[in-house]
Amino acid sequence: MRPEPAALQACLLFRGKSAEEIELLLPTLAYTVSTYRKNAIILAEGDPADRLGILLSGRVEVQKTHSTGSSVTIAHLKEGQTIGEAVLFRRDNVAPATVTATGPCKVMFIGKQELLRIFAADTDILTRFIENLSERLVLVNRKIENLSAGPLRRRIIDFLLEQGTQQASDTLKLPFSRKEWAGHLNTARPSLSRELGFLRDQGWIDFKGSEITLLDRSRMNDYLLSLPSSAGNL
């Protein structure tokens, strides 16, 4: 199965390349493309991580399972994002988390040795790969900060204000479902719904479906500033 050049243009590795350039590059690459149904496991924790995955369509969820059996959502990935790049070149390159399809999706895989060959032939792709690693590190750091930011209410407000900045709007489109958001915050969905209801009652936000409107950013920021840095969980 051959990937569409337009789908690869969404991937950071091929940023700056035209569809025509990608069209010429594809016949020179060794790769495979796999399709997955909803809830299918793409990569299980502990599996060998010896190839890079590029999400051509759909979305996936990355989860880490604790020894207690509970799990926490680390990331949600969409079209153009990559799977497995963080551990691909580790000496012990096994998957540290499980990657699951949240809906029908298609993934392109490139083996480690082939990737090294591509890097040697095209330093632009190597540069993009390093940029991709850097961006993923920033996202992981943000996730750690969010999970350790104290009360659930604070974590929710942090996230909403960050999305407001990223989307440059007071009307936000959530990048995932309410259930996925709860997993992202490492909390139960009823707890998330309760806190959103509180924020709405305070007149700070309003929401309908996957759309949330920030009504009073100033009071939300004031709330964050009023909390001590060592605040505990609700």
Side-chain angles (χ1 to χ4, degrees):
M1 188 182 301
R2 187 174 180 278
E4 291 295 327
L8 289 177
Q9 282 183 302
C11 179
L12 179 59
L13 289 181
F14 300 96
R15 182 176 292 172
K17 291 191 180 297
S18 67
E20 291 75 17
E21 288 175 313
I22 296 174
E23 189 83 47
L24 292 173
L25 179 64
L26 280 173
T28 71
L29 303 182
Y31 64 85
T32 59
V33 176
S34 299
T35 58
Y36 298 90
R37 294 178 294 179
K38 182 178 181 179
N39 297 325
I41 294 178
I42 298 170
L43 187 64
E45 187 172 341
D47 282 353
D50 54 1
R51 55 185 184 165
L52 176 75
I54 300 174
L55 192 56
L56 299 176
S57 64
R59 294 179 59 211
V60 303
E61 182 178 64
V62 184
Q63 286 193 323
K64 175 69 177 177
T65 302
H66 299 299
S67 57
T68 59
S70 62
S71 60
V72 59
T73 300
I74 299 173
H76 293 92
L77 306 180
K78 59 184 180 180
E79 181 178 322
Q81 291 187 287
T82 52
I83 301 167
E85 73 280 7
V87 296
L88 188 60
F89 294 104
R90 284 185 60 195
R91 181 174 301 175
D92 181 21
N93 60 329
V94 297
T98 296
V99 182
T100 306
T102 58
C105 68
K106 187 184 300 182
V107 183
M108 175 182 181
F109 292 103
I110 303 175
K112 181 166 65 174
Q113 294 305 316
E114 174 66 1
L115 202 58
L116 288 171
R117 187 193 66 78
I118 295 169
F119 291 161
D122 191 328
T123 55
D124 284 341
I125 292 181
L126 172 60
T127 300
R128 299 289 89 78
F129 180 81
I130 295 172
E131 288 178 0
N132 191 34
L133 283 177
S134 298
E135 288 192 7
R136 187 59 60 85
L137 180 60
V138 169
L139 290 175
V140 170
N141 284 338
R142 285 178 181 170
K143 175 70 175 179
I144 293 171
E145 289 173 2
N146 193 264
L147 290 176
S148 62
L152 175 59
R153 190 170 302 158
R154 177 176 182 170
R155 287 181 271 149
I156 293 170
I157 291 175
D158 268 336
F159 176 82
L160 292 175
L161 291 176
E162 180 183 350
Q163 287 295 309
T165 299
Q166 290 181 3
Q167 299 183 31
S169 174
D170 284 333
T171 301
L172 313 178
K173 183 72 174 179
L174 288 178
F176 32 61
S177 69
R178 190 78 64 86
K179 179 181 178 181
E180 291 170 329
W181 187 14
H184 182 79
L185 293 168
N186 196 25
T187 191
R189 183 173 174 176
S191 298
L192 172 60
S193 297
R194 183 173 62 250
E195 287 300 320
L196 289 175
F198 172 84
L199 297 177
R200 180 179 57 190
D201 293 344
Q202 295 297 307
W204 297 359
I205 68 169
D206 196 10
F207 55 84
K208 182 178 181 181
S210 62
E211 188 174 278
I212 295 182
T213 303
L214 306 183
L215 301 176
D216 199 332
R217 289 201 200 200
S218 177
R219 289 172 66 189
M220 294 168 75
N221 276 305
D222 287 345
Y223 169 79
L224 295 180
L225 292 173
S226 72
L227 291 175
S229 59
S230 60
N233 292 330
L234 283 177

